[in-house]
Amino acid sequence: MAGEKNKEKLILDSAVALFTTKGYQATRMEDVAKNAGISKGLTYFYYKNKEDLFMALTKKAFDQFKDEFREVYKSNGKSGLQKTSDLLIRICAFAKRNQVYYDSIINFLDLVKQYNNPETREMINPLILKSSHFLKLLEVHQDPAKIGISIVIQGQKDGSIRPELQPEITFFAIWSMIIGYEKMLGPIEFEGKDMKVYPENWEPGFLKLMADMLKGTIQATKPATVQGSLF
Amino acid sequence: MAGEKNKEKLILDSAVALFTTKGYQATRMEDVAKNAGISKGLTYFYYKNKEDLFMALTKKAFDQFKDEFREVYKSNGKSGLQKTSDLLIRICAFAKRNQVYYDSIINFLDLVKQYNNPETREMINPLILKSSHFLKLLEVHQDPAKIGISIVIQGQKDGSIRPELQPEITFFAIWSMIIGYEKMLGPIEFEGKDMKVYPENWEPGFLKLMADMLKGTIQATKPATVQGSLF
Amino acid sequence: MAGEKNKEKLILDSAVALFTTKGYQATRMEDVAKNAGISKGLTYFYYKNKEDLFMALTKKAFDQFKDEFREVYKSNGKSGLQKTSDLLIRICAFAKRNQVYYDSIINFLDLVKQYNNPETREMINPLILKSSHFLKLLEVHQDPAKIGISIVIQGQKDGSIRPELQPEITFFAIWSMIIGYEKMLGPIEFEGKDMKVYPENWEPGFLKLMADMLKGTIQATKPATVQGSLF
Amino acid sequence: MAGEKNKEKLILDSAVALFTTKGYQATRMEDVAKNAGISKGLTYFYYKNKEDLFMALTKKAFDQFKDEFREVYKSNGKSGLQKTSDLLIRICAFAKRNQVYYDSIINFLDLVKQYNNPETREMINPLILKSSHFLKLLEVHQDPAKIGISIVIQGQKDGSIRPELQPEITFFAIWSMIIGYEKMLGPIEFEGKDMKVYPENWEPGFLKLMADMLKGTIQATKPATVQGSLF
DNA sequence: AATGAATGAGTCTTCATTCAT
DNA sequence: TATGAATGAAGACTCATTCAT
């Protein structure tokens, strides 16, 4: 029937909604089920356990995240440099629109860090390690990065990004900046009152700095004359 | 005698050790007590509840964090630009040396974001809001930023950082980069195997980009020849 | 099978047994469960918390209590006056037979007192106020009184109770006497040894007084003339 | 010095205040101490434990309670009957003024009931049984009753109370009524809205009934002749 | 007399997970 | 597939009481 959405998806959507409102820890599997209009037991039929559900959610987040990268990559009539700032803007929009997805991605980065360090790997909840979604994530989680690197290369080809930069390192620097930027949004808004940094200035200022970094700027001696628009 | 440390500190140290090993959630208050060699009750005598203990830990983390900034700020014979890269290195070292402290700081940034948004503020665990340590943190959490901004201004005075940059925004951009950089360490190490980005390249590459951003670089036309050392 | 009683009831019965033996405070929820032959968790599945369980118990007590009133009311071949003394006897038997139920009823009266006073209402444990059983009790707790009032009216119709009495007030006076009588049973038994009041005399004496009050009595030879003022 | 009240009393007063506000269970010994302006330890110097403190409070309550009886007994120019209604009024005033004292007295009556029944005696908290105040109470708790009985006898001598009544039983009936009356105050106020019993009518009506019981009343036109059996 | 740090037994409550149907 | 009753391990937190000083 029409309204008979796939149950698996129903559960996931319910989880997203509740994780957003109450957070992962505070959300009970029973609530996820109830909110999805199904029974608790069925939830465990589709997802082995809470961690598995969260990993499924993370996987979906990565897929959508990848789409953002892909769309920026494919956008026409823009320089590679412009695409990097588009990327930052889109990712922040993505984070705002779907905080849980974004958080799950960041959480996954932490997980990967633990996973890569043999000393800390055993501290990871075994249920996570056993999750099929986690394993898939390990395989695909570089995909956004790969696209990002391509964007940098595009920028170097079209001359908007300095050719001497190493694309991989450059992209990861950009991604770092984006991650940090998003984390910074909270404190900055707060400190605004006595610190002259208002969200309004912060975004363009940050983008400008990133652009400077990527395209290079005329040394202080003679003032930069060209970059009238943002870049 | 030697072992007669202040109990309050004893508990905090115990918490740090256990949070590091098992994580905040997985650590039971009883274990914190046992590990500190005291009774469970005494833990609650010094800290109202688990959240309060964590906020106390965060406060201590911020204090030490601030010291890192302060020491960099006071270091002699270095340009402001050099100090910013010192800062990145020190903060990453700080994060590695005391992951729990660093994580608690990042966690606090998220908290501040929720706190500043009236819609999300009520989602914060009330025990956190009631913690005296949380309140103190709200007061002092910009202190590192203030020092950081001073460093940028120093750099502008000594000519190592472009004078046209707005110090506040610049500092927050740096801090963003640092935060993102640290988060990136995990995935990069992992992706290294098939992506040419090795930790060895990553740090200097990242620092170089940051420096480029801050000091300005010669435009693409004639390749930058000079900056053989890092800056 | 025989032992397959409804779980909800099983728990309540277990609670009654344990509250009787050890008292409400001293009874742990775990014991209630164990005694009922089920798991602790299931107890919380059927009753939100200990207070809710107690309110459910009180509700059941009120239902049975109401039955006592109802049966007295419907008993044939008795005058209204006789029914009032039947009531006293039955209620005391009820109290003896099921002390916990009776105590829960008395406790509920105290609760109602607190609840009706805006100043003291907030002192009531919120878990009680939230209990659905408490809310039901608020609705039905006058039912026994309503029946009692009917009994008084019956007595007035059959001439066994003075017609000039106000039925409502009269009933509440009777109920007061019953409550007080029951409370008095303890001390009287004790004081008996040096005070001439033995339980054997006490009940008929008390009933006689109550009857005198209700039906009116022939005045002692010469009526007291002085005490006009007070009454 | 002037303000140097006896510590023992200070503690007791503090306990009364807190038990009134929060109830016995919810009041912590620490609060009692703090509120009395002394240390927790000292509380245990003066009172063996919480139960002992409560028994001391009960003892004081009984002493004051006894004073009420004594004052009524000694009041001049009043008939014995008038004194009984004075007693009811005073006791209710006492209960209202000092609810905790009154409650402790009622609680003690329950305790006595348990104590007198060999089967239930062992259910009493041993700390209570060991309290010296409890032992003293066992000795003196009949004193109010003794005075009350004297009042009834007075009434019989002055002709205001029927001479054929047994004074002890009569007094306990009166006390029962008083106890019940006080317990009834709550529900009646509540039921008032749809039951015609308003507190304003309730007190005089109740007093009138009690007086009728004690002094006897002229029978309504034709005496009920049938119900010989019961009375 | 007086303090208050220290103890630890005691309990409610939560919730992920299972399983008979 | 689907249900929801049933489980039980886990853990935060309280507070009466003690005792070294």
Side-chain angles (χ1 to χ4, degrees):
Chain A
M1 285 118 247
E4 274 300 332
K5 268 209 291 184
N6 175 295
K7 293 280 169 66
E8 208 163 339
K9 182 167 166 29
L10 226 47
I11 296 168
L12 206 49
D13 290 345
S14 169
V16 169
L18 291 172
F19 291 172
T20 302
T21 317
K22 322 168 63 170
Y24 174 75
Q25 291 286 349
T27 299
R28 295 171 309 159
M29 288 299 267
E30 180 154 24
D31 293 336
V32 173
K34 203 167 289 173
N35 186 42
I38 60 163
S39 74
K40 211 192 309 191
L42 198 55
T43 306
Y44 282 90
F45 180 81
Y46 287 108
Y47 300 97
K48 292 289 167 238
N49 47 54
K50 204 181 178 185
E51 281 73 20
D52 188 44
L53 173 58
F54 188 61
M55 283 303 121
L57 184 156
T58 304
K59 173 64 170 57
K60 199 179 166 196
F62 253 99
D63 289 343
Q64 289 195 202
F65 196 58
K66 186 176 170 182
D67 285 342
E68 299 286 338
F69 278 70
R70 197 181 285 136
E71 282 174 36
V72 169
Y73 177 69
K74 292 188 300 188
S75 59
N76 295 321
K78 300 212 173 181
S79 70
L81 181 61
Q82 280 170 319
K83 287 183 179 178
T84 62
S85 75
D86 282 1
L87 201 57
L88 181 141
I89 290 169
R90 288 187 78 127
I91 288 178
C92 289
F94 174 85
K96 200 163 237 164
R97 176 169 19 104
N98 220 329
Q99 189 72 48
V100 172
Y101 280 169
Y102 185 77
D103 287 347
S104 78
I105 289 168
I106 298 297
N107 174 72
F108 186 74
L109 296 186
D110 286 342
L111 222 43
V112 169
K113 195 194 289 188
Q114 276 185 76
Y115 186 78
N116 289 331
N117 183 340
E119 286 178 31
T120 55
R121 183 183 297 193
E122 60 193 6
M123 282 169 50
I124 299 175
N125 185 335
L127 294 179
I128 290 180
L129 298 180
K130 261 180 279 173
S131 167
S132 62
H133 302 287
F134 175 74
L135 300 178
K136 255 180 254 166
L137 275 164
L138 282 183
E139 289 171 19
V140 303
H141 81 286
Q142 316 96 318
D143 291 355
K146 284 176 184 161
I147 299 172
I149 292 165
S150 303
I151 291 174
V152 172
I153 293 171
Q154 274 188 343
Q156 292 180 315
K157 283 187 182 149
D158 66 30
S160 61
I161 292 178
R162 289 183 284 150
E164 72 270 25
L165 297 178
Q166 226 256 305
E168 285 83 4
I169 286 178
T170 306
F171 166 71
F172 281 114
I174 294 168
W175 197 357
S176 293
M177 289 183 81
I178 294 172
I179 289 172
Y181 175 76
E182 211 281 332
K183 276 263 176 270
M184 224 58 230
L185 285 178
I188 277 184
E189 223 149 317
F190 177 74
E191 293 168 321
K193 47 182 177 179
D194 66 39
M195 286 187 80
K196 294 193 250 165
V197 181
Y198 300 90
E200 303 84 66
N201 312 332
W202 170 231
E203 182 180 301
F206 188 89
L207 283 172
K208 171 97 176 62
L209 279 166
M210 197 170 81
D212 288 350
M213 177 183 96
L214 296 173
K215 71 169 191 248
T217 55
I218 303 300
Q219 192 70 22
T221 40
K222 28 174 179 158
T225 49
V226 198
Q227 64 274 70
S229 72
L230 241 183
F231 307 113
Chain B
M1 346 261 120
E4 274 303 330
K5 272 206 289 183
N6 172 292
K7 294 283 168 67
E8 207 165 339
K9 184 168 166 23
L10 224 47
I11 295 168
L12 206 50
D13 290 346
S14 168
V16 168
L18 291 173
F19 289 172
T20 303
T21 318
K22 323 169 63 170
Y24 174 74
Q25 292 286 350
T27 300
R28 295 174 313 154
M29 287 298 267
E30 183 154 20
D31 292 338
V32 173
K34 205 165 286 174
N35 188 278
I38 60 164
S39 72
K40 202 192 322 187
L42 198 57
T43 305
Y44 283 91
F45 182 78
Y46 287 108
Y47 300 96
K48 292 290 168 239
N49 45 55
K50 204 180 176 185
E51 282 74 21
D52 189 44
L53 173 57
F54 188 61
M55 284 301 121
L57 184 156
T58 304
K59 174 64 171 58
K60 201 180 166 197
F62 252 98
D63 290 341
Q64 288 195 202
F65 196 59
K66 186 177 173 180
D67 286 342
E68 300 286 339
F69 278 70
R70 198 182 283 137
E71 282 174 36
V72 169
Y73 177 70
K74 291 188 302 187
S75 60
N76 294 321
K78 301 214 172 178
S79 69
L81 181 60
Q82 282 172 317
K83 286 183 180 179
T84 61
S85 74
D86 281 0
L87 201 57
L88 183 141
I89 291 168
R90 287 189 79 129
I91 288 178
C92 290
F94 173 85
K96 197 164 241 163
R97 177 172 15 107
N98 220 331
Q99 189 70 46
V100 172
Y101 278 172
Y102 184 76
D103 287 347
S104 78
I105 289 168
I106 297 297
N107 174 72
F108 185 74
L109 296 187
D110 287 343
L111 222 42
V112 169
K113 194 193 289 188
Q114 275 186 77
Y115 186 77
N116 289 331
N117 183 341
E119 287 177 30
T120 54
R121 185 183 296 192
E122 60 193 6
M123 281 171 50
I124 300 175
N125 184 336
L127 295 179
I128 290 179
L129 297 179
K130 262 182 278 175
S131 166
S132 64
H133 302 290
F134 175 74
L135 301 177
K136 253 181 254 162
L137 274 164
L138 281 183
E139 290 172 20
V140 304
H141 81 286
Q142 316 96 321
D143 291 356
K146 285 177 184 161
I147 298 171
I149 292 165
S150 303
I151 290 173
V152 172
I153 293 173
Q154 274 187 344
Q156 292 180 314
K157 283 189 182 147
D158 66 29
S160 62
I161 292 178
R162 288 184 285 150
E164 73 270 23
L165 296 178
Q166 227 252 301
E168 286 82 5
I169 286 179
T170 306
F171 166 72
F172 282 114
I174 295 169
W175 197 355
S176 292
M177 291 183 79
I178 293 172
I179 289 173
Y181 174 76
E182 208 281 331
K183 277 262 176 271
M184 224 59 231
L185 285 178
I188 277 183
E189 223 149 318
F190 178 75
E191 294 167 317
K193 45 185 175 175
D194 66 39
M195 288 186 76
K196 294 194 247 161
V197 181
Y198 300 90
E200 303 83 65
N201 313 331
W202 170 231
E203 181 181 302
F206 189 89
L207 282 172
K208 171 97 178 57
L209 279 166
M210 194 170 84
D212 289 348
M213 175 183 97
L214 296 174
K215 69 168 193 257
T217 55
I218 302 299
Q219 193 69 20
T221 41
K222 32 175 178 159
T225 49
V226 197
Q227 61 275 67
S229 73
L230 243 182
F231 305 111
Chain C
M1 347 257 120
E4 272 303 328
K5 273 206 287 183
N6 171 292
K7 294 284 168 65
E8 206 164 340
K9 183 168 166 25
L10 224 48
I11 296 168
L12 206 49
D13 290 345
S14 169
V16 169
L18 291 173
F19 290 172
T20 301
T21 318
K22 322 169 63 171
Y24 174 74
Q25 291 286 349
T27 300
R28 296 174 313 156
M29 287 299 266
E30 182 154 21
D31 293 338
V32 172
K34 204 166 287 172
N35 188 278
I38 58 163
S39 74
K40 208 191 316 188
L42 197 57
T43 305
Y44 283 91
F45 181 78
Y46 286 108
Y47 300 97
K48 291 291 168 236
N49 47 53
K50 203 180 177 184
E51 282 73 21
D52 189 44
L53 173 57
F54 189 61
M55 283 301 121
L57 184 156
T58 305
K59 175 64 170 56
K60 200 180 166 197
F62 251 98
D63 289 342
Q64 291 196 199
F65 196 57
K66 186 177 172 181
D67 286 342
E68 301 285 339
F69 278 70
R70 197 182 284 138
E71 283 174 34
V72 169
Y73 177 70
K74 293 188 301 185
S75 58
N76 294 321
K78 300 212 175 181
S79 70
L81 181 62
Q82 282 172 319
K83 286 183 180 178
T84 61
S85 72
D86 281 2
L87 201 58
L88 182 142
I89 290 168
R90 287 188 80 127
I91 289 179
C92 289
F94 174 85
K96 198 161 239 163
R97 179 170 14 106
N98 220 330
Q99 188 70 46
V100 171
Y101 279 171
Y102 185 76
D103 287 347
S104 79
I105 289 168
I106 297 297
N107 174 72
F108 185 74
L109 296 186
D110 287 343
L111 222 43
V112 169
K113 195 193 289 189
Q114 276 186 77
Y115 185 77
N116 288 331
N117 184 340
E119 287 177 30
T120 55
R121 185 182 296 193
E122 59 193 5
M123 282 170 50
I124 299 176
N125 185 336
L127 295 179
I128 289 180
L129 298 180
K130 260 182 280 174
S131 166
S132 64
H133 302 289
F134 176 74
L135 300 177
K136 255 180 254 164
L137 275 164
L138 282 183
E139 290 172 21
V140 303
H141 81 286
Q142 316 98 318
D143 291 355
K146 285 175 183 162
I147 298 172
I149 292 166
S150 304
I151 291 173
V152 172
I153 293 172
Q154 274 188 341
Q156 293 179 314
K157 282 187 184 151
D158 66 31
S160 62
I161 293 178
R162 289 184 284 151
E164 74 270 22
L165 297 177
Q166 227 254 302
E168 285 83 5
I169 286 179
T170 306
F171 167 70
F172 282 114
I174 294 168
W175 197 357
S176 293
M177 289 183 80
I178 294 172
I179 289 172
Y181 175 76
E182 209 280 332
K183 276 260 177 274
M184 223 59 230
L185 286 177
I188 277 184
E189 223 151 317
F190 177 74
E191 293 167 319
K193 47 183 175 179
D194 65 40
M195 287 186 77
K196 293 193 249 163
V197 181
Y198 298 90
E200 303 85 65
N201 313 332
W202 169 231
E203 182 180 302
F206 189 88
L207 282 172
K208 172 99 177 56
L209 280 166
M210 197 170 82
D212 290 348
M213 177 183 96
L214 296 175
K215 70 168 192 250
T217 55
I218 303 297
Q219 190 65 24
T221 43
K222 32 175 180 162
T225 49
V226 199
Q227 68 277 59
S229 55
L230 238 180
F231 306 112
Chain D
M1 286 116 243
E4 272 300 331
K5 269 210 290 184
N6 173 298
K7 293 281 169 67
E8 210 164 337
K9 182 167 166 28
L10 225 47
I11 296 167
L12 206 49
D13 290 346
S14 169
V16 168
L18 292 172
F19 290 171
T20 301
T21 318
K22 321 168 63 171
Y24 174 75
Q25 292 285 349
T27 299
R28 295 172 309 160
M29 288 298 267
E30 181 154 23
D31 294 335
V32 172
K34 204 168 286 174
N35 186 42
I38 61 164
S39 74
K40 209 191 313 191
L42 198 55
T43 304
Y44 281 89
F45 180 80
Y46 287 108
Y47 300 97
K48 290 290 166 239
N49 47 53
K50 203 182 178 185
E51 282 74 21
D52 189 44
L53 173 58
F54 188 61
M55 284 301 121
L57 184 156
T58 304
K59 174 63 171 58
K60 200 179 165 197
F62 253 100
D63 289 342
Q64 289 195 201
F65 196 57
K66 186 177 171 181
D67 286 343
E68 299 286 338
F69 278 70
R70 197 182 283 138
E71 282 173 37
V72 169
Y73 178 69
K74 291 188 302 187
S75 59
N76 294 322
K78 301 212 173 179
S79 70
L81 182 61
Q82 282 172 319
K83 286 183 179 178
T84 61
S85 75
D86 282 2
L87 201 58
L88 182 141
I89 291 168
R90 290 188 77 129
I91 289 178
C92 289
F94 174 86
K96 200 162 236 164
R97 177 170 17 106
N98 220 329
Q99 189 72 49
V100 172
Y101 278 170
Y102 185 76
D103 287 348
S104 79
I105 288 168
I106 298 296
N107 175 71
F108 185 75
L109 296 187
D110 286 342
L111 222 43
V112 169
K113 194 194 290 187
Q114 276 186 76
Y115 186 78
N116 290 331
N117 184 340
E119 286 176 30
T120 55
R121 185 182 296 191
E122 60 193 6
M123 282 169 51
I124 299 175
N125 184 335
L127 294 179
I128 289 180
L129 299 179
K130 264 182 275 174
S131 167
S132 62
H133 301 289
F134 175 74
L135 301 177
K136 255 180 253 164
L137 274 164
L138 283 183
E139 290 170 20
V140 304
H141 82 284
Q142 317 96 319
D143 291 356
K146 285 176 184 162
I147 298 172
I149 292 165
S150 303
I151 291 174
V152 172
I153 292 172
Q154 273 187 342
Q156 293 180 312
K157 283 186 183 153
D158 65 30
S160 61
I161 292 178
R162 288 184 286 152
E164 73 270 23
L165 297 178
Q166 227 254 303
E168 285 83 3
I169 286 179
T170 306
F171 166 71
F172 281 114
I174 294 169
W175 197 356
S176 293
M177 290 183 80
I178 294 172
I179 289 171
Y181 175 76
E182 212 280 332
K183 276 263 175 272
M184 225 58 232
L185 285 177
I188 276 186
E189 223 149 318
F190 177 74
E191 293 168 319
K193 47 182 178 178
D194 65 38
M195 287 188 78
K196 294 195 247 165
V197 181
Y198 299 91
E200 303 84 66
N201 314 331
W202 168 232
E203 183 181 301
F206 189 88
L207 283 172
K208 172 99 176 59
L209 278 167
M210 196 170 82
D212 290 348
M213 177 182 96
L214 296 175
K215 71 171 192 248
T217 55
I218 302 299
Q219 189 67 24
T221 43
K222 37 176 177 160
T225 50
V226 198
Q227 65 279 64
S229 56
L230 237 183
F231 307 113

